[in-house]
Amino acid sequence: MSNPDILRENTADPFAGERLKLSPFHERQAALNLRDAWSSWNGYKFADYYYDVDYEYFNIRNTCGTYDICPMQKYLIEGPDAMAMLNRMVTRDVSKLRINRVTYCCWCTDTGRMIDDGTIFRLGEEQYMLTCGSPSIAWLRKSCVGFDEVSVTEHTENLAALSLQGPTSFATLKNMGFDQVAELKPFGILRLPFDGTEIMISRTGFTGDLGYELWIDPKHALAMWDALYVAGEHFGIQPYGESATNMARLEAGFLMPYMEFNEALKTINFEYDHTPLELDLAWIVDFKKPHFNGRSALLKQKQEGLTRKLLKLDIEGNKTAEEAILYNNEACSHEIGYVTSAMWSPAVKANIAFAFVDTNALGGDIWAEIYHYKELRPHRKMALCQISDKPFWVNPRARQTPPGLT
């Protein structure tokens, strides 16, 4: 006679723990992913694109689209010492963050190398939520040492999150019945009743345009999706994936991990990681506040000067400078840097890129050595680069309150 317990053990899926998790929105997204184009992010099955990357990019720029941010890591930091703990961990002054506001931040090792960047939501007097691209629970718990009244809770699977971006995003939310969103300022938080629970709406995003992020209990995720898509039916709402996101964020001048920077705790080669100052993030490093991780090293680097810096480049021609090496002359006699991200921008009508450049070379010419294929044959060209001091593309409506209907 067979043992039922043994039978259950033998018939269980031995790979269950290795399979990609499904987002609370997956059922709806799978039906719309006509190309079945999936990748992975933090153990979740994640859409690279749904139908066509360029089509999805133009949805972001001309109508509105949804981007699943459920795989993004979310942590609750709570208690009387929550603010002090975060203020010691990140480079920005968290004490200035008001309730129902969001701020962008980064955190470093003691040597000033950047571990990750993310956003801090202040949800209450002693409650914060940190979001970031990669798992950070171990570093957060280490950062709690010395603070007796603070707790860190992994919150990723307890909160479904959907980014709604584009010029018709506000019109869609208004049509959904959320009239109060009209007065929501950039980086503000609003809580409203929905489907017998509460929806949190933040005016945040990663595209440089008008946009919001919607946060809700996973049990109500599909109801929120359905209501959102009904409301946005006549406003061009479509889902978009990682590839279109990468296009929009580069135009807006936003950094992407593993493209502009390596996470310090996962980098093997010496100085293949970066500091916030090298990444042109000095504006979120507050030397006026008390001690924070990496302060001494960053202050020393500021005083001694940078040897390399991330720049935004406008490159002549229309051949994308992906993986291009940079030189100080057309003859390629002296290498001065390299491109991290590049694209032909439909919105800007220009060839744009992020690139690390030796600071000693600034003030002279910057040339990109670009290789491209034409009818299966490789071609090489040298393109002159101009430094851009501002994001390549930001629409004024991203800052307007109320944003107006489009």
Side-chain angles (χ1 to χ4, degrees), residues 23-74:
S23 158
F25 302 111
H26 180 75
E27 183 180 339
R28 300 292 185 268
Q29 293 177 134
L32 295 172
N33 196 327
L34 301 182
R35 305 301 186 195
D36 206 26
W38 302 98
S39 58
S40 62
W41 180 17
N42 289 335
Y44 279 84
K45 192 172 184 179
F46 187 70
D48 185 18
Y49 64 96
Y50 289 82
Y51 172 69
D52 178 83
V53 175
D54 291 334
Y55 176 77
E56 293 166 30
Y57 161 83
F58 282 110
N59 280 139
I60 299 170
R61 290 291 179 241
N62 296 324
T63 57
C64 69
T66 60
Y67 176 65
D68 188 359
I69 52 175
C70 289
M72 185 167 62
Q73 300 297 281
K74 311 167 192 75

Side-chain angles (χ1 to χ4, degrees), residues 174-212:
K174 184 176 175 61
N175 197 37
M176 198 174 168
F178 298 136
D179 294 346
Q180 302 93 322
V181 174
E183 301 306 318
L184 186 61
K185 296 179 180 179
F187 297 99
I189 298 171
L190 187 64
R191 294 179 177 86
L192 298 169
F194 173 79
D195 193 41
T197 186
E198 180 182 80
I199 185 172
M200 183 174 77
I201 302 175
S202 59
R203 191 168 168 182
T204 47
F206 202 50
T207 64
D209 205 327
L210 176 64
Y212 304 86

Side-chain angles (χ1 to χ4, degrees), residues 329-370:
N329 55 56
E330 196 170 1
C332 300
S333 60
H334 181 62
E335 184 178 322
I336 61 170
Y338 59 94
V339 168
T340 60
S341 299
M343 66 177 286
W344 169 261
S345 167
V348 183
K349 302 295 187 292
N351 199 11
I352 63 174
F354 269 127
F356 270 106
V357 178
D358 296 343
T359 54
N360 290 333
L362 298 181
D365 287 345
I366 301 175
W367 291 84
E369 182 183 27
I370 300 174

